[in-house]
Amino acid sequence: MVLQHDTSHVSATAATRKPHTPRQGVRLAIAAALVVALSSSVFLLAGLAAYAWYRRALADCVEWGNTYRLMDEHVAALSNQATVIANRVSQTKDVDRKSLDKLDATAAQASAQRRQATASVQTVGDVPSACRAKQSPLALRSHVDAYRDAALALKPWVGRLRKAEHPVAVRVLAQDSQTLNETAGRIRAALPGVRELARETTGLHDHRVSRELHKAIEAAQSVTDKPNQASYGTLLDTERQLFARADAAVHARNIERGIDCGRTACVALTFDDGPRAGTSQQVTAALRRAGDQATFFAIGGAVNDATQTMLRNDTRYGMPVGSHTMSHMDLPMIMSSGAEHREFDEASARIAQASGRPVTLLRPPHGVADEASRQYLADHLGVGIALYDVDSYDWAVGATARSVQWKVTAQVRSGSIILMHDIHSHTAAALPHILDALRAKGYRTVTITELIDRYPRPGYVYYSRDNIIPW
Ligand SMILES: [Zn+2]
């Protein structure tokens, strides 16, 4: 019975199994294919994540290495300035001992912080060697940490030195005509950009913001007309007030446009080296079609009768145009060869003439800036420096639409400023896909001014919404 039962069971099982064998084979094949597909997509995803991590580490290394270098140069310059002012004060009878001691102490502490920061990055070395490609992301990450820690340790000293200098400087330089004229010149250089902002924000619902900005502009205009009738302290107060009101206007306009990059994810796309017939128009058209925004950095030498309407159209569509120098020369080279007037002043004037808007930002060719160029741009042109934290590498040999898209999407994060060039057909071809990918990730594209939610401050350096070097 039992045996029989067993046999019948076995045969029944065999009977039920038999017709299923081919189907089960198919199932096995499907399962195997699924396992392979799943594991290969796991590998693919892991590969993508590793690639993004590597690209991000490489970009962060360059960004923070240069941030540290610029911050170090600036703290050194401010410490020297403090010493110069302190020496001047000691020759006068009108000395406020307490303020002077405070300035001396702050300068000494800032120098000590610089020495400490220098020691902490000594083993990392300079940016080109520390941030070279094809090394482990872990090594890159440790360099990023060292640079960032050193840069962030120095950052507060910019404000501390300015603050300690203020009471001493306004007292000793109160009626110094050279200082008065220089300060008035600096405010005058920033006025066209702020005036343009006032014009653009006149129709804001918050009339108070616009009214206050107009008042600040009038005050700035009247003190810069007759700087020798004002005191140094009055000029500095007027300047501070002017930018505070401009910041408020940018912020109010952002609120009206529904832009809040502190809460939602935003990125600023930027396009350098144009205008160029064909590709520049394709880029602007792709942005317009998708309802996206960008900031352009034009080369003064590329602006002519044939190309100037492209810049005019960009600003008409709300996309600002900044300067990328006259002939794409590196900033330190411009300063050392005495080409400032042509490369900065004339380029800005030509670009502003073509676009119909004053230039408020400059993008340094090859991403290279230094203390001397920052000083010149702050004092004579009233412009800030727009750098970037995402390089699309669309300029590299062998770049394709696919490679540009990959590099942007691998590195982008909220608050990023993305470097591209509107002179390459592969960039124009990649752009619609990049805009789709950014939208899918939840990013809103905005201009740099919208991203930082403030008026672009002369001399400041903007790498991203989160990495700003003050002046
Ligand atoms: Zn360029």
Side-chain angles (χ1 to χ4, degrees), residues 272-273 297 299 324 328 363-367 419-421 423:
D272 295 6
D273 293 6
F297 292 99
I299 293 178
H324 196 40
H328 207 264
R363 164 68 51 78
H366 308 111
L419 169 71
M420 292 195 274
H421 299 82
I423 55 164

Side-chain angles (χ1 to χ4, degrees), residues 85-97 100 168 171-173:
I85 290 173
N87 284 340
R88 256 182 102 149
V89 172
S90 58
Q91 289 161 13
T92 65
K93 291 204 165 60
D94 181 26
V95 182
D96 169 17
R97 203 64 243 176
L100 185 59
V168 180
R171 195 151 171 172
V172 70
L173 302 173

Side-chain angles (χ1 to χ4, degrees), residues 23-77:
R23 215 191 285 169
Q24 197 165 33
V26 171
R27 270 197 212 139
L28 268 174
I30 291 172
L34 272 175
V35 167
V36 170
L38 203 64
S39 58
S40 63
S41 57
V42 165
F43 277 124
L44 187 67
L45 284 176
L48 276 178
Y51 175 74
W53 193 44
Y54 165 69
R55 294 259 42 128
R56 204 50 272 175
L58 204 56
D60 286 353
C61 191
V62 175
E63 175 189 339
W64 285 101
N66 288 328
T67 300
Y68 161 69
R69 198 178 42 76
L70 284 173
M71 205 84 86
D72 179 60
E73 281 181 11
H74 193 45
V75 171

Side-chain angles (χ1 to χ4, degrees), residues 225-452:
D225 281 346
K226 293 172 189 140
N228 287 305
Q229 289 179 12
S231 70
Y232 183 43
T234 308
L235 282 170
L236 290 183
D237 285 345
T238 310
E239 183 183 38
R240 192 175 42 77
Q241 189 74 350
L242 180 70
F243 289 126
R245 297 304 179 200
D247 286 348
V250 169
H251 182 65
R253 184 176 60 183
N254 269 356
I255 289 174
E256 256 179 46
R257 290 177 176 171
I259 296 169
D260 186 355
C261 300
R263 285 162 177 263
T264 56
C266 300
V267 291
L269 297 164
T270 64
F271 295 92
D272 295 6
D273 293 6
R276 178 174 290 181
T279 48
S280 293
Q281 288 143 316
Q282 284 167 34
V283 164
T284 302
L287 291 163
R288 291 268 295 153
R289 259 198 312 277
D292 279 295
Q293 283 293 323
T295 307
F296 290 85
F297 292 99
I299 293 178
V303 180
N304 53 45
D305 289 347
T307 58
Q308 62 178 348
T309 50
M310 295 171 208
L311 301 188
R312 183 62 64 120
N313 279 335
D314 289 335
T315 52
R316 193 174 292 150
Y317 302 143
M319 297 190 248
V321 181
S323 169
H324 196 40
T325 75
M326 184 63 92
S327 66
H328 207 264
M329 202 191 270
D330 282 356
L331 268 47
M333 176 64 90
I334 292 173
M335 298 309 295
S336 63
S337 64
E340 303 95 314
H341 189 72
R342 178 164 172 75
E343 292 293 328
F344 293 142
D345 302 57
E346 285 181 21
S348 273
R350 191 186 283 197
I351 292 160
Q353 167 82 31
S355 73
R357 303 280 190 284
V359 165
T360 57
L361 282 166
L362 177 136
R363 164 68 51 78
H366 308 111
V368 185
D370 63 357
E371 178 72 13
S373 53
R374 285 179 75 189
Q375 177 96 51
Y376 187 89
L377 294 168
D379 287 352
H380 299 270
L381 274 136
V383 306
I385 297 179
L387 279 162
Y388 44 85
D389 68 326
V390 173
D391 185 345
S392 68
Y393 287 85
D394 62 345
W395 48 267
V397 177
T400 62
R402 180 63 62 93
S403 75
V404 174
Q405 188 188 337
W406 274 79
K407 290 207 166 62
V408 170
T409 47
Q411 297 172 76
V412 70
R413 58 190 164 195
S414 184
S416 280
I417 299 177
I418 303 168
L419 169 71
M420 292 195 274
H421 299 82
D422 54 329
I423 55 164
H424 301 303
S425 54
H426 53 258
T427 303
L431 186 57
H433 304 287
I434 291 171
L435 297 177
D436 283 347
L438 291 175
R439 193 159 293 112
K441 281 171 174 255
Y443 291 116
R444 174 172 184 171
T445 58
V446 294
T447 67
I448 291 179
T449 304
E450 289 168 339
L451 184 78
I452 59 177

